[in-house]
Amino acid sequence: MTPAPLIIAVDGRSGAGKTTLAVELAARLRTHHRVSLFHLEDIYPGWEGLEPGIARYVAAVLEPLRRGMDAHWHPWDWTEQHDGGPRITVSAPVIIVEGVGAAAAVARPFLDAVVWAESPADTRRTRAMARDGASYEPFWDTWAAQEESWLAGDNVPAHADVVVQNGADGRSADDLLTALSYLPALAPALNFQRSARSGQSLAVEKIPGQPDAPQLFTALYGRASHAVWLDSSNAPLTGAEHPVDRNRFSIMADSGGLLGQVATHAAGTTNVTAGTATVTVGGPFFQWLDDAWEQGAPTQQLPFDFALGWLGWLGYELKRETGGSDVNSSTPDAALLFAARAVVLDHQEGDVWLLALEAPDCEEWLDAARSAVAEAASNATDSPGAATEAKDHSAPPSFTGRDTEQHYKDQIAAAHQEIANGNSYEICLTTALTATVPAIDPWSTYLALRRSSPAPFGSFLAAGSITVASTSPERFLQVAPDGGLRAEPIKGTRARGADTASDAELRADLVSSPKDRAENIMIVDLLRNDLSHFAVPGSVTVSRLCAIETYATVHQMVSTINAQLQPGASRAEAIAACFPAGSMTGAPKISTMAILDRLESGPRGVYSGAIGYFSRNGAADLAVAIRTLVIDQRTIGEARLSLGLGGAITADSVASDEYQEIRVKSRGVLSALGSQFPDT
């Protein structure tokens, strides 16, 4: 039996460049498939024939093609103003239909993909006149009025799978092909595109030297709307009971270049932008990630696991896909960029690595990156960021607690009751501080934050009008290229002391605390269970239990759990099985998340989620999004700041101590902003 054809409609207003886009797309697809192409302009019955033309197109062309039959139709003779002789559009494995109305409501049931081409009005008119000359000019307004009337009742752009901002730079067809490859219905036909992408070779250069990292980031990515710095700003860990390599490398990248992409997910829909094209894919995020995360790509031998790929954040509300309830957040549930080029800083060896996928713009970027590294190295100082530090003289933000002190203590009492009733052993209760201030500079804010609270998993994530500035000390989950798994949960916190003696006393108190040790061990057991779902039986081990690590503002109790991923297991599903981090939920995880939904006063958003990368070689490294400031500037002239805070509640938790703990955890971020914990 002959499989049904794939039918792709390219629609848009007149002059949006649909014909060129469709012809170029067909040319690329014909390398691998037999393709038929139909133009609606051949069938409209005159200059006032948009609606009748759509009806003719559906009946004479789409209906037979959908059944795998050739379409027999009559073209319109624009000179004689009547139908011409018969024509045939031959059935083919892939069919592209193009023209105003190609994706009309009556046509959409016959289509596998809808593409909407968008261009500014002045560009569209210029294109149309250049294509059809003087014959079209007297009828432009008549035809445009028909388009607007039709679209007023049939919002085709809202139903489009892909929207293309169709410029005249020749890039749109390649971007469209990339975008279409994310649609499940088209994935088999476009497997060649995905194979070519995963098989692209990687250009690698090593440059000795230690540049000023903030200056380097500013030079390469300061103007980027989507950029990431995974910033190991305290690589030499101090005060650990047992020396451990927490995070030797920092990664800088953006979504620029011919191969860069941006993906956001909210409430069951993922939007991916590849240059000029944006595709909308319905379904769970982790299912999309499993499909989009190209693994096993050929790479050179590198001293680090990252070999380009997706970087960004996963928000806590993705728990809807992992056993939690469906809660909506004001920020995207995930925001990732695909980096086709990046800079990696080796803090141990003092080297800079440049990585770039081979593409027409690869050498140009490598030249710019070399120059930026040399310039930043010449300005390197003993004070990180001194060369680029920007002074902010505005008043410190005044934060408000989402919950008053008494309300938070009431929530603790409610958590105690849930534990007493046997519904949970440990409940990681959270709250948030928020502030609204005039527009601020997120970059200088992050520089202040990393100076006051350096951390092994710091991060600066620019995602359009939303920026995440984090100094997280906690690794959520690391996946090595060979499938090695590592989780490093933190449970147990003490503030740093004002002097050496008091600091040592606070640290010793944490070491000897049965409550903190019990909290930590409960989460270790939870993560052992999470990892076991996709691990080789018998491979789950605990290499560190309740070790103490010391940071600029706190002492922390940390454990390490290791495992080996089963051969052939989905890495995205393995990450989903552990998400959200058990240290941010409590145990048992699913029932405790339901309790938290009842107790907490709002969604967590980015906070309590994860920040990191998914590399093309199958590696991943994700930190828990704690000590994290979210800066939302979607309202012009205004910045909304949010800082999530929380702690684990067990049967022997003391409410006043737990409230003091969230104050301690806020110090790193609030001190960087010059702010105080609110009195409530």
Side-chain angles (χ1 to χ4, degrees), residues 163 165 171 175 255 257-262 272-278:
V163 175
Q165 300 300 324
R171 137 163 218 189
D175 294 338
S255 62
L258 294 175
L259 302 178
Q261 300 173 50
V262 171
V272 185
T273 297
T276 61
T278 298

Side-chain angles (χ1 to χ4, degrees), residues 33 60 75 84 88 96 139 160 177 221 240 273 316 355 444 451 454 483 551 581 586-587 615 668 674:
H33 300 285
I88 297 176
I96 300 174
F139 302 99
L177 195 60
Y221 309 117
T273 297
Y316 176 76
L355 311 179
S444 59
R451 284 196 308 277
Y551 298 90
S615 174

Side-chain angles (χ1 to χ4, degrees), residues 264-271 280-285 288 317-318 320-321 326 328 333:
T264 58
H265 181 94
T269 299
T270 303
N271 290 307
T280 300
V281 184
F285 169 79
W288 174 85
E317 272 66 48
L318 284 175
R320 71 169 63 86
E321 300 180 18
D326 188 358
N328 290 327
D333 295 326

Side-chain angles (χ1 to χ4, degrees), residues 211-215 379-389 391 447 450-451:
D212 179 273
Q215 180 184 337
N379 291 330
T381 70
D382 293 331
S383 176
T388 55
E389 182 177 338
K391 302 295 183 183
L447 293 184
R450 79 187 293 266
R451 284 196 308 277

Side-chain angles (χ1 to χ4, degrees), residues 48-126:
E48 295 186 358
L50 176 56
E51 295 278 6
I54 292 172
R56 291 167 56 132
Y57 146 70
V58 172
V61 178
L62 274 187
E63 288 187 4
L65 290 177
R66 179 76 279 171
R67 298 195 301 269
M69 300 170 60
D70 294 344
H72 297 263
W73 51 277
H74 289 269
W76 182 254
D77 188 323
W78 290 89
T79 302
E80 299 297 329
Q81 293 294 297
H82 59 67
D83 283 336
R87 296 274 187 87
I88 297 176
T89 296
V90 178
S91 179
V94 178
I95 298 168
I96 300 174
V97 290
E98 169 275 319
V100 181
V106 292
R108 289 197 288 273
F110 300 94
L111 305 175
D112 295 289
V114 172
V115 178
W116 179 263
E118 191 67 74
S119 289
D122 55 347
T123 301
R124 290 191 287 107
R125 183 178 183 114
T126 300

Side-chain angles (χ1 to χ4, degrees), residues 205-487:
E205 292 187 20
K206 182 174 78 169
I207 304 173
Q210 294 180 299
D212 179 273
Q215 180 184 337
L216 180 59
F217 186 88
T218 299
L220 288 174
Y221 309 117
R223 293 185 177 88
S225 61
H226 292 78
V228 171
W229 181 10
L230 302 181
D231 176 19
S232 180
S233 54
N234 78 331
L237 180 65
T238 60
E241 287 182 343
H242 308 289
V244 60
D245 176 16
R246 294 292 281 136
N247 197 8
R248 169 180 159 186
F249 302 99
S250 292
I251 300 169
M252 300 177 176
D254 73 353
S255 62
L258 294 175
L259 302 178
Q261 300 173 50
V262 171
T264 58
H265 181 94
T269 299
T270 303
N271 290 307
V272 185
T273 297
T276 61
T278 298
V279 59
T280 300
V281 184
F285 169 79
F286 285 105
Q287 178 179 306
W288 174 85
L289 179 64
D290 189 42
D291 187 55
W293 184 4
E294 293 152 6
Q295 301 165 25
T299 60
Q300 290 85 337
Q301 194 70 27
L302 300 169
F304 44 82
D305 289 341
F306 179 68
L308 300 177
W310 295 96
L311 307 94
W313 84 68
L314 314 184
Y316 176 76
E317 272 66 48
L318 284 175
K319 67 183 175 64
R320 71 169 63 86
E321 300 180 18
T322 62
S325 60
D326 188 358
V327 177
N328 290 327
S329 171
S330 62
T331 53
D333 295 326
L336 302 173
L337 64 83
F338 181 83
R341 62 263 187 112
V343 175
V344 180
L345 306 180
D346 185 341
H347 300 291
Q348 177 176 298
E349 299 298 326
D351 294 325
V352 179
W353 293 78
L354 307 182
L355 311 179
L357 290 180
E358 296 285 2
D361 59 348
C362 172
E363 285 302 325
E364 180 183 358
W365 181 83
L366 287 172
D367 288 342
R370 292 185 202 103
S371 298
V373 170
E375 181 70 17
S378 68
N379 291 330
T381 70
D382 293 331
S383 176
T388 55
E389 182 177 338
K391 302 295 183 183
D392 187 352
H393 300 290
S394 59
S398 178
F399 282 87
T400 300
R402 187 176 71 192
D403 303 290
T404 65
E405 179 177 355
Q406 185 56 52
H407 188 239
Y408 192 72
K409 290 178 177 178
D410 290 344
Q411 290 172 314
I412 293 173
H416 275 148
Q417 188 61 52
E418 295 282 357
I419 293 169
N421 292 343
N423 299 326
S424 181
Y425 306 110
E426 179 177 357
I427 299 173
C428 296
L429 185 66
T430 76
T431 185
L433 305 182
T434 59
T436 300
V437 298
I440 63 173
D441 175 22
W443 176 237
S444 59
T445 301
Y446 177 66
L447 293 184
L449 187 59
R450 79 187 293 266
R451 284 196 308 277
S452 67
S453 302
F457 304 105
S459 56
F460 176 81
L461 311 178
S465 299
I466 300 175
T467 304
V468 174
S470 178
T471 57
S472 175
E474 182 175 358
R475 172 176 274 136
F476 162 48
L477 186 63
Q478 183 181 41
V479 184
D482 65 359
L485 303 173
R486 172 180 292 179

